[in-house]
Amino acid sequence: MKKRILVTGGAGFIGSHLCQRLLNDGHEVICLDNYFTGNKANVIHLLDNPYFELIRHDVTHPFFIEVDEIYNLACPASPVHYQYNPIKTIKTSVMGAINMLGLAKRIKAKILQASTSEVYGDPIVHPQPESYWGNVNPIGQRSCYDEGKRCAETLFMDYRLQNDVKIKIIRIFNTYGPKMNPNDGRVVSNFIVQALKGEDITIFGDGTQTRSFQYVDDLVEGMIRMMNSRDDFWGPVNIGNPKEFTMLQLAELVIRLTGSTSRIVHMPLPQDDPTQRQPVIDLARKELNGWEPTVELEQGLKLTVDYFKNLLQQS
Ligand code: NAD
Ligand code: UDP
């Protein structure tokens, strides 16, 4: 059935992939973005599609529209960008959630929240199941993002309990792929761009900290399955790739795949940088029709390297 779907943060990295996929699936998509970290260029190829609409709007202000579903992605996601204006970041998460939940309540739409593995903070339990409450610093450099996203989860659960809003919460683990912003400071885009330019590859700390990297197509598949999951399942559910790598391993892999002559250099580790991260995805497998990641890191990195090569040639 054709649905009208609102995607907030739709001009960002993940949002633009999601918009494309929803259009491919035959839906009508309204993409809402204030272009803080997103870019019109990410969705420019969709503008000719009569079922696609692009609207400049900031989710900290109320927004009115008639839709069947809302994917709430609006929020800067990289540490560099979310720490640039931390008050705005927490406002975006909290007021954005209130505005979008209020909208969902009024128009009886289903709403999915793009939460994050950052709700687990610097986790002491490893790997992380959804039942783990996390180890989060409430007053550190990452708090504007972590606590904003935690509060948004609370709001989602309370709108369900109090107002019967149809909610879905996913906790996204580190995701990468084409259309990442080359300047947003995340590790995959940083390493690839540095390697392609022959610049030093900047490892923060000794490089033994770990992350589990998910290719964007696997995430988008998980998001859509979650939106369409049974009515009495709202999560939160982890969506991530459980294969865990150190930042040193990632740097070496990027150097090999690009054939780069870049050197690895070490820089200070930022405050509260999580030492380890790996999702438990049993719940997603069970509730989302056997969903699991299908793209290996090496395969996904090759596609991402090709994207950045083209981008750098054009600039
Ligand atoms: P991104 O920065 O590329 O996308 C975020 C989008 O939201 C951008 O287009 C930005 O302009 C927009 N935005 C920011 N503030 C806004 C506001 N106040 N009003 C309207 N639009 C606003 O990041 P992304 O990686 O695509 O992340 C998308 C969502 O997924 C975010 O909510 C993020 O927290 C979540 N997430 C991402 C990852 C990841 O690894 N990429 C991991 C966990 C969670
Ligand atoms: N990192 C790094 N070099 C960089 C950028 C990031 O070593 O140029 C490290 C960072 O300290 C963290 C990991 O890579 O340990 C992942 O960082 P990212 O910002 O991509 O995501 P997050 O920390 O939010 O998971």
Side-chain angles (χ1 to χ4, degrees):
M1 194 190 62
K2 192 182 194 76
K3 288 179 279 195
R4 294 190 79 203
I5 302 176
L6 174 66
V7 179
T8 78
F13 158 51
I14 295 170
S16 56
H17 285 271
L18 179 64
C19 288
Q20 172 82 71
R21 167 69 192 270
L22 292 170
L23 287 168
N24 290 352
D25 289 352
H27 302 297
E28 190 177 336
V29 174
I30 295 107
C31 168
L32 183 153
D33 209 294
N34 72 348
Y35 307 124
F36 173 47
T37 51
N39 197 320
K40 272 188 195 164
N42 284 338
V43 288
I44 202 157
H45 60 297
L46 305 177
L47 290 178
D48 287 340
N49 187 324
Y51 296 110
F52 181 74
E53 202 174 328
L54 180 59
I55 299 173
R56 180 192 290 263
H57 181 82
D58 190 312
V59 291
T60 59
H61 301 288
F63 184 71
F64 302 98
I65 196 167
E66 290 281 331
V67 289
D68 304 302
E69 292 177 351
I70 304 168
Y71 287 85
N72 187 37
L73 276 65
C75 185
S78 86
V80 173
H81 282 138
Y82 70 64
Q83 288 166 24
Y84 170 76
N85 185 342
I87 296 172
K88 176 73 193 201
T89 299
I90 200 158
K91 274 185 172 174
T92 295
S93 270
V94 176
M95 293 169 69
I98 291 171
N99 287 327
M100 289 305 134
L101 283 162
L103 175 65
K105 177 185 156 190
R106 274 192 300 276
I107 61 174
K108 301 200 186 314
K110 209 191 304 182
I111 179 166
L112 178 145
Q113 169 67 356
S115 190
T116 168
S117 53
E118 282 284 322
V119 300
Y120 302 121
D122 189 1
I124 294 162
V125 171
H126 191 74
Q128 294 82 52
E130 290 84 353
S131 55
Y132 177 47
W133 289 357
N135 175 37
V136 177
N137 178 355
I139 52 167
Q141 284 173 9
R142 297 174 86 101
S143 312
C144 60
Y145 184 73
D146 299 10
E147 297 290 21
K149 289 283 188 179
R150 285 169 69 96
C151 182
E153 285 198 9
T154 308
L155 283 162
F156 268 69
M157 295 303 272
D158 288 343
Y159 268 76
R160 185 192 71 75
L161 270 175
Q162 208 173 317
N163 296 123
D164 222 12
V165 174
K166 289 173 265 172
I167 65 147
K168 305 277 176 184
I169 302 172
I170 58 168
R171 292 182 178 155
I172 304 172
F173 282 65
N174 294 66
T175 302
Y176 70 96
K179 296 194 178 172
M180 291 184 90
N181 180 337
N183 303 313
D184 84 357
R186 279 184 271 194
V187 69
V188 173
S189 43
N190 267 13
F191 284 2
I192 293 179
V193 171
Q194 288 162 345
L196 290 174
K197 289 183 168 173
E199 293 170 356
D200 290 346
I201 295 199
T202 54
I203 289 190
F204 300 164
D206 63 8
T208 57
Q209 72 270 38
T210 66
R211 294 292 184 274
S212 305
F213 297 103
Q214 159 175 248
Y215 190 65
V216 64
D217 289 355
D218 286 329
L219 167 62
V220 168
E221 179 63 34
M223 294 176 101
I224 289 173
R225 287 196 195 195
M226 181 57 174
M227 185 61 106
N228 296 323
S229 61
R230 64 185 166 91
D231 285 350
D232 57 349
F233 177 67
W234 45 82
V237 62
N238 290 338
I239 304 285
N241 189 323
K243 292 203 180 134
E244 190 180 357
F245 295 84
T246 66
M247 294 313 102
L248 264 174
Q249 286 173 317
L250 179 71
E252 280 156 9
L253 187 52
V254 168
I255 289 173
R256 177 161 69 73
L257 294 178
T258 51
S260 175
T261 52
S262 291
R263 293 180 313 145
I264 288 176
V265 298
H266 291 267
M267 314 239 306
L269 190 66
Q271 187 200 23
D272 297 334
D273 199 288
T275 48
Q276 53 184 1
R277 183 179 289 159
Q278 188 199 127
V280 173
I281 59 165
D282 297 349
L283 187 62
R285 280 198 186 100
K286 177 168 167 275
E287 294 293 343
L288 308 182
N289 293 328
W291 172 87
E292 36 177 39
T294 57
V295 183
E296 294 293 332
L297 182 61
E298 181 158 341
Q299 190 189 352
L301 281 179
K302 279 184 187 157
L303 298 167
T304 314
V305 167
D306 288 346
Y307 169 79
F308 280 114
K309 259 189 200 158
N310 279 331
L311 196 73
L312 293 177
Q313 272 163 11
Q314 284 163 24
S315 58

